[in-house]
Amino acid sequence: MFFKLGFVLLFGLLFSFVSTSQAFAKTEKATFAGGCFWCMEPPFEKADGVLSVISGYSGGRGDNPNYNDYAAKGHIEVIQITFDPSKISYDELLDIYWMQIDPTDSGGQFVDRGKQYSSAIFYHNEKQKILAEESKKKLSKSKRFDRPVVTPVIPEVKFYPAEGHHQDYYKTNSLQYKFYRSRSGRDQFLKKKWSIKMKKEELRSKLTPMQYKVTQEDGTEPAFNNEYWDNKKEGIYVDLVSGEPLFSSIDKYKSGTGWPSFTKPLVFQNIIEKEDRSWFSVRTEIRSKKGDSHLGHLFDDGPPPSGKRYCMNSAALRFIPKEDLNKEGFGEYLKLFR
């Protein structure tokens, strides 16, 4: 009896230890530089799946840097993130990262000038390197910035946590943080570049009248008289404005409607469904998440197994042939066509 009880207790302890070890093993780290580390902490700490965000110094050669000498030792301000990849992907962290910085500035970030405030992605493994480089290529192709994206993607080096009073500064010194941030120029820049919609006049100059009418004014292009309704090439379709991947040729089918039709999105997270009560009916409008472009509508008359028809406007899409996926920064989708 005692032997059995002891065995059960021992087994329970071992199971608990293994479970704890496995949970710990599932966490990963990401290290980003984006100027003032005070400003880089909040957006990541709010993300589901992020376990901790630590401000610190990295990239230099001098040991044990502190706030007074880190720049002299060649270090820059960074944050190191511990995250659960089952809840948030490295790609999603990269999306958050790009929306906090000016990736075209090699001399610092916003009001903070000097190498110690420069941007950088420090990758921890080969997978992160590939994802970061592809993400950078996509951003470069998005036409969001007028200058080249110069943020380097480099191997991680030793990370030194910053002093305690720098951790969660936006919480412990909220008034000072708000005062600094409001005058740093960061929010003004981010609002201009990452607002839900780019400025109307900027888009008018970059899009054709039909592209503008569809994406910005919720218009509809003519059936059978658009670029992709009968496109049979292999590749993916991305948002014309933001460049986010939306659909694949694998899920495209001939619906007979005269518009490009798909049974499902390529990346569900990049699709937003909204109720549309125009034209005296109730329909499901489809918009892109980042670009907020009007794409088309969703209907329930598609083929099995989904029974869905994502009826899209060619004018809201850009097609990338499979042979150009690597060059365009979408190499991760090549495996779909092998």
Side-chain angles (χ1 to χ4, degrees), residues 276 283-286 294 296-299 309-312:
D276 179 4
R283 298 179 295 171
T284 301
E285 180 195 8
I286 298 298
H294 170 74
H297 289 86
L298 172 62
F299 300 96
R309 173 167 62 95
Y310 287 83
C311 185
M312 301 294 102

Side-chain angles (χ1 to χ4, degrees), residues 67-113:
Y67 195 70
N68 294 321
D69 66 9
Y70 78 93
K73 291 181 176 181
H75 293 283
I76 62 178
E77 294 192 11
V78 303
I79 55 167
Q80 189 162 93
I81 302 162
T82 301
F83 66 101
D84 181 349
S86 69
K87 293 183 178 180
I88 188 168
S89 68
Y90 188 70
D91 259 335
E92 290 173 306
L93 292 177
L94 287 168
D95 286 343
I96 296 173
Y97 171 71
W98 292 123
M99 288 189 282
Q100 311 309 316
I101 69 167
D102 178 359
T104 69
D105 192 345
S106 59
Q109 288 291 295
F110 313 109
V111 74
D112 296 315
R113 311 312 300 164

Side-chain angles (χ1 to χ4, degrees), residues 69-324:
D69 66 9
Y70 78 93
K73 291 181 176 181
H75 293 283
I76 62 178
E77 294 192 11
V78 303
I79 55 167
Q80 189 162 93
I81 302 162
T82 301
F83 66 101
D84 181 349
S86 69
K87 293 183 178 180
I88 188 168
S89 68
Y90 188 70
D91 259 335
E92 290 173 306
L93 292 177
L94 287 168
D95 286 343
I96 296 173
Y97 171 71
W98 292 123
M99 288 189 282
Q100 311 309 316
I101 69 167
D102 178 359
T104 69
D105 192 345
S106 59
Q109 288 291 295
F110 313 109
V111 74
D112 296 315
R113 311 312 300 164
K115 181 189 174 187
Q116 68 269 35
Y117 297 112
S118 58
S119 64
I121 297 172
F122 293 89
Y123 60 84
H124 288 251
N125 52 52
E126 192 64 21
K127 181 182 178 181
Q128 285 191 1
K129 177 185 178 183
I130 292 170
L131 291 174
E133 289 178 340
E134 287 181 347
S135 180
K136 180 178 175 179
K137 286 180 184 177
K138 290 177 191 175
L139 188 65
S140 298
K141 297 282 185 180
S142 70
K143 299 181 180 179
R144 190 175 291 276
F145 300 99
D146 299 325
R147 299 185 298 172
V149 174
V150 296
T151 299
V153 177
I154 52 183
E156 59 100 10
V157 290
K158 189 170 183 179
F159 169 78
Y160 297 91
E163 296 83 344
H165 61 275
H166 287 301
Q167 309 301 333
D168 288 329
Y169 190 86
Y170 72 101
K171 294 179 181 177
T172 59
N173 295 273
S174 59
L175 290 178
Q176 296 94 318
Y177 171 75
K178 289 176 182 177
F179 180 82
Y180 162 77
R181 177 137 189 167
S182 67
R183 287 158 176 76
S184 70
R186 186 182 293 259
D187 288 333
Q188 294 87 331
F189 176 87
L190 299 181
K191 183 178 180 181
K192 177 182 177 182
K193 291 299 181 182
W194 293 103
S195 58
I196 293 177
K197 290 189 178 182
M198 296 167 65
K199 286 186 174 181
K200 295 289 185 182
E201 57 268 26
E202 184 180 355
L203 279 176
R204 281 189 189 277
S205 67
K206 292 183 176 181
L207 304 179
T208 67
M210 180 58 72
Q211 289 170 340
Y212 186 88
K213 178 182 177 182
V214 169
T215 61
Q216 306 305 305
E217 298 178 340
D218 305 341
T220 302
E221 67 195 2
F224 301 102
N225 185 21
N226 55 78
E227 191 172 2
Y228 302 129
W229 78 272
D230 199 30
N231 183 27
K232 298 181 178 64
K233 294 180 180 179
E234 291 185 307
I236 68 171
Y237 296 80
V238 303
D239 181 278
L240 182 72
V241 175
S242 66
E244 56 197 302
L246 300 172
F247 298 96
S248 164
S249 62
I250 294 173
D251 305 307
K252 189 173 185 288
Y253 74 101
K254 190 172 183 178
S255 64
T257 61
W259 291 286
S261 300
F262 305 87
T263 57
K264 64 179 182 180
L266 174 60
V267 183
F268 279 90
Q269 302 95 298
N270 292 343
I271 294 294
I272 291 178
E273 298 182 11
K274 297 183 71 174
E275 186 180 90
D276 179 4
R277 290 184 171 271
S278 62
W279 296 98
F280 309 103
S281 64
V282 180
R283 298 179 295 171
T284 301
E285 180 195 8
I286 298 298
R287 304 188 73 87
S288 60
K289 182 177 181 180
K290 296 176 188 172
D292 193 37
S293 302
H294 170 74
L295 304 175
H297 289 86
L298 172 62
F299 300 96
D300 292 321
D301 57 5
S306 72
K308 301 294 183 181
R309 173 167 62 95
Y310 287 83
C311 185
M312 301 294 102
N313 288 276
S314 295
L317 306 172
R318 182 167 75 93
F319 176 68
I320 303 176
K322 67 175 182 180
E323 58 269 22
D324 293 339

